[in-house]
């Protein structure tokens, strides 16, 4: 083929020192698109000149290559194709190609690399190339080519993995689906709650139109709620896992599937929490820019002038605001650190102790500081009757529920008696399991006894 993929592949192969022959149905017309070091010729001529052939044509055109079957016999065909839908055909494209050319050895590979990645060159980061085939030798040959081109070949086993390899490039953010739905669900719930309190309540009770609050104020009170609850949801599954381990008295019993899934999605949940917190910071910085804010300030100043009020300084409010903003900035700083260290390139440069210190200890400190940020925001509002719109408590009191549970559980788990037991379980100790060991007696003979392994 001489399409986008074939062209990029040829350029990369030539740059990596390979001799390239390109097979086309119309070589004259296409030759100008390829580097001069690559020979562009008719398909029948090209297949004679090499033992490894990249089939850079679409699946529906495979059958048009059947005339070349004799010339292709005994050669390696690399199937680089992708489908347009997951599980589009009954068998994978590579298996279909193998069925059309039984005298060839088919290797699936390179389909997860785009034409753009191929062209951007070896210096533009490394990329994995997933490879599978029923023939070990052919697989090794293709893996070596990938390695020389600057890719990391990953052996995915035999040809039955081809379907999975073809599906990989069609999946849209598979690890992010659950965390994104979770974030959207929380956003929707808190947004509706805040809308009722900040817009609908003043309209029904005082006939005041507060719709202007929706784009910034309501969104900006919703975002921190989502960020805060999501951050606590990063640490809640760890707490639940510890509870289960304490209850079972072993670490060798499997967690329920939902908890397993939750534990695996902590990174994405944490990153979405950081995303919402960062948006909240930007929205908050923009609050004074709003025209509504300026009108309200002028209105207040006029009111004070009319009432001849001189001293409007409220010491408690000043302190509350200073602490509130300061802890908010620290929490955002810590969250940024967690987000940066979760990037594979950074995480790979840390040892296990450093990684777990940042993600576990600093992450928990970020949760505690975010709780302080929320508490200083709320201050005494939870005890003010006027804050209960339609009997609904202020939003921040609701957000405190899960994070405070997590913090309380962590405090309980840090009690020496519980911490010790948990530590022993995580080192392999099991409740009610007995081990047999032999005691040397004073007389020199040996007597055996059974005792609990924790003795
Ligand atoms: P393309 O630009 O449409 O090129 C397809 C080429 O197939 C044509 O240039 C044509 O070359 C050749 N061909 C051979 N027999 C044909 C026939 N009967 N009818 C039409 N064309 C025929 O497609 P592409 O983007 O390069 O993709 C090629 C393969 O690579 C596909 O299987 C695709 O799934 C896979 N792939 C592409 C990318 C990418 O980023 N583009 C990434 C991964 C995988 P001649 O006219 O010279 O014969």
């Amino acid at each position: 083929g001489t399409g986008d993929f074939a062209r990029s592949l040829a350029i990369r192969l030539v740059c990596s020192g390979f001799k390239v022959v390109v097979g086309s149905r119309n070589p004259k017309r296409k030759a100008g698109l390829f580097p001069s070091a690559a020979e562009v010729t008719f398909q029948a001529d090209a297949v004679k000149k090499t033992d490894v052939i990249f089939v850079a044509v679409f699946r529906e055109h495979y059958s048009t290559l059947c005339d070349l079957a004799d010339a292709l016999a005994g050669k390696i065909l690399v199937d680089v194709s992708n489908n347009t839908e997951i599980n589009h055909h009954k068998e994978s494209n590579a298996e279909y190609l193998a069925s059309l050319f039984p005298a060839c050895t088919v290797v699936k590979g390179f389909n997860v690399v785009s034409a753009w990645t191929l062209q951007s060159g070896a210096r533009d980061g490394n990329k994995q190339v997933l490879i599978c085939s029923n023939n070990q030798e052919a697989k090794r040959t293709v893996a070596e080519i990938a390695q020389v081109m600057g890719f990391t070949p990953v052996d995915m086993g035999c040809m039955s993995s081809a379907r999975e390899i073809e599906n990989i490039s069609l999946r849209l953010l598979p690890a992010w689906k659950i965390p994104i739905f979770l974030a959207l669900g929380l956003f929707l719930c808190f947004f509706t709650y805040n809308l009722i309190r900040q817009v609908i309540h003043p309209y029904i009770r005082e006939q005041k139109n507060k719709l202007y609050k929706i784009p910034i104020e309501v969104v900006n009170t919703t975002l921190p709620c989502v960020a805060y609850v999501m951050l606590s949801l990063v640490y809640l599954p760890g707490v639940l896992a510890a509870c289960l381990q304490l209850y079972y008295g072993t670490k060798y019993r499997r967690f329920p599937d939902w908890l397993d899934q939750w534990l695996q999605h902590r990174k994405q949940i944490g990153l979405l929490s950081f995303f919402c917190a960062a948006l909240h910071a930007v929205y908050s910085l923009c609050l004074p820019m709003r025209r509504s804010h300026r009108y309200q300030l002028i209105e207040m100043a006029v009111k004070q002038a009319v009432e001849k009020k001189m001293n409007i300084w409220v010491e408690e409010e000043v302190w509350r605001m200073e602490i509130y903003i300061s802890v908010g900035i620290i929490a955002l700083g810590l969250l940024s650190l967690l987000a940066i260290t979760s990037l594979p390139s950074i995480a790979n440069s840390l040892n296990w102790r450093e990684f777990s210190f940042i993600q576990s200890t600093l992450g928990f400190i970020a949760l505690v500081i975010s709780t302080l940020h929320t508490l200083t925001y709320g201050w005494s509002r939870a005890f003010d009757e006027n804050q209960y719109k339609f009997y609904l408590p202020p939003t921040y009191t609701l957000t405190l529920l899960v994070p405070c549970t997590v913090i309380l559980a962590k405090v309980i788990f840090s009690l020496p008696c519980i911490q010790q037991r948990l530590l022993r379980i995580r080192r392999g100790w099991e409740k009610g399991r007995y081990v047999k060991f032999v005691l040397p007696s004073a007389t020199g003979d040996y007597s055996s006894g059974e005792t609990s392994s924790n003795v």
Side-chain angles (χ1 to χ4, degrees):
T2 54
D4 299 331
F5 192 83
R7 201 166 53 247
S8 307
L9 182 70
I11 293 172
R12 186 82 175 243
L13 282 167
V14 166
C15 291
S16 307
F18 289 100
K19 187 172 179 295
V20 179
V21 186
V22 185
S24 170
R25 292 167 305 164
N26 191 345
K28 255 195 191 151
R29 200 157 67 94
K30 303 288 178 73
L33 301 171
F34 286 80
S36 52
E39 182 189 344
V40 184
T41 179
F42 285 101
Q43 289 174 340
D45 187 29
V47 295
K48 277 188 222 149
K49 296 183 173 170
T50 178
D51 286 335
V52 180
I53 295 145
F54 288 89
V55 185
V57 303
F58 287 101
R59 174 190 172 120
E60 50 270 35
H61 302 138
Y62 285 177
S63 56
T64 65
L65 304 174
C66 283
D67 296 343
L68 307 168
D70 290 338
L72 288 171
K75 304 201 174 192
I76 298 172
L77 299 185
V78 186
D79 183 295
V80 300
S81 65
N82 279 317
N83 287 316
T84 44
E85 283 168 38
I86 289 177
N87 296 332
H88 195 175
H89 302 280
K90 219 165 76 201
E91 86 264 75
S92 67
N93 294 351
E95 285 166 317
Y96 172 59
L97 186 67
S99 71
L100 290 179
F101 299 96
C104 299
T105 308
V106 174
V107 177
K108 179 82 207 178
F110 284 89
N111 64 307
V112 291
V113 186
S114 69
W116 183 84
T117 311
L118 279 166
Q119 275 210 26
S120 55
R123 283 171 299 271
D124 194 54
N126 209 337
K127 190 139 188 2
Q128 290 183 337
V129 168
L130 312 181
I131 293 170
C132 76
S133 174
N134 288 338
N135 185 307
Q136 289 297 331
E137 192 52 42
K139 200 161 49 174
R140 203 170 307 125
T141 307
V142 176
E144 275 166 20
I145 296 174
Q147 208 152 23
V148 175
M149 288 167 79
F151 294 110
T152 307
V154 179
D155 190 339
M156 296 286 287
C158 58
M159 196 48 107
S160 53
S161 305
R163 177 182 274 258
E164 182 51 28
I165 297 179
E166 284 167 14
N167 284 342
I168 283 174
S169 42
L170 293 175
R171 291 213 170 98
L172 182 69
L173 305 171
W176 285 84
K177 257 185 205 144
I178 296 173
I180 287 174
F181 280 123
L182 183 69
L184 284 178
L186 281 172
F187 186 90
L188 215 69
C189 292
F190 281 119
F191 184 86
T192 314
Y193 194 82
N194 289 327
L195 190 77
I196 294 170
R197 284 177 50 81
Q198 289 171 271
V199 179
I200 298 176
H201 182 268
Y203 183 76
I204 292 180
R205 284 288 150 91
E206 301 157 42
Q207 270 71 54
K208 278 187 183 163
N209 182 356
K210 302 270 181 188
L211 283 173
Y212 75 89
K213 286 187 172 186
I214 295 175
I216 294 191
E217 264 191 65
V218 178
V219 172
N220 194 35
T221 36
T222 304
L223 283 170
C225 300
V226 180
Y228 183 41
V229 174
M230 292 281 282
L231 182 62
S232 66
L233 293 182
V234 173
Y235 295 96
L236 184 60
V239 167
L240 295 177
C243 289
L244 282 179
Q245 285 178 338
L246 282 170
Y247 177 70
Y248 295 147
T250 176
K251 70 167 184 173
Y252 298 112
R253 197 151 150 187
R254 265 204 64 173
F255 295 133
D257 279 348
W258 58 267
L259 185 57
D260 248 354
Q261 287 274 328
W262 193 351
L263 285 162
Q264 278 167 31
H265 285 104
R266 284 179 295 177
K267 174 177 155 181
Q268 287 79 9
I269 297 175
L271 283 172
L272 285 174
S273 159
F274 167 66
F275 175 68
C276 294
L279 282 185
H280 168 53
V282 177
Y283 267 100
S284 302
L285 286 175
C286 295
L287 288 179
M289 286 183 200
R290 294 169 310 149
R291 209 149 272 284
S292 57
H293 178 75
R294 290 186 208 168
Y295 290 149
Q296 277 164 355
L297 273 186
I298 296 168
E299 229 176 73
M300 259 164 61
V302 171
K303 225 173 172 180
Q304 280 158 15
V306 170
E307 289 170 8
K308 293 199 172 62
K309 258 193 198 167
M310 292 304 282
N311 189 8
I312 51 150
W313 186 277
V314 182
E315 190 72 15
E316 186 186 305
E317 271 302 295
V318 170
W319 274 102
R320 180 183 77 84
M321 211 59 188
E322 304 283 314
I323 298 169
Y324 162 66
I325 294 173
S326 178
V327 286
I329 294 169
I330 296 170
L332 185 63
L334 285 173
L335 279 184
S336 325
L337 200 69
L338 296 180
I340 291 167
T341 48
S342 72
L343 297 174
S345 53
I346 309 281
N348 289 345
S349 69
L350 303 170
N351 66 29
W352 172 243
R353 179 111 198 261
E354 290 162 343
F355 184 78
S356 85
F357 170 74
I358 294 172
Q359 295 295 332
S360 184
T361 314
L362 284 190
F364 180 65
I365 293 172
L367 184 65
V368 173
I369 292 180
S370 305
T371 305
L372 289 179
H373 180 61
T374 312
L375 287 172
T376 43
Y377 167 79
W379 210 246
S380 54
R381 273 181 240 191
F383 310 107
D384 180 358
E385 215 177 283
N386 295 328
Q387 291 296 323
Y388 286 73
K389 316 272 163 83
F390 293 136
Y391 303 104
L392 297 174
T395 323
Y396 85 95
T397 54
L398 298 185
T399 61
L400 282 166
L401 216 71
V402 185
C404 287
T405 312
V406 173
I407 293 171
L408 188 72
K410 286 262 188 191
V411 171
I412 294 172
F413 289 155
S414 68
L415 295 175
C417 53
I418 299 180
Q419 195 184 36
Q420 285 300 316
R421 193 176 168 89
L422 207 52
L423 261 175
R424 270 190 302 161
I425 289 174
R426 286 177 178 172
R427 278 177 173 269
W429 175 85
E430 288 183 273
K431 184 170 74 178
R433 202 162 158 229
Y434 292 91
V435 290
K436 195 172 182 180
F437 68 95
V438 182
L439 286 171
S441 73
T443 52
D445 63 329
Y446 291 86
S447 61
S448 67
E450 277 191 339
T451 182
S452 168
S453 63
N454 64 333
V455 168

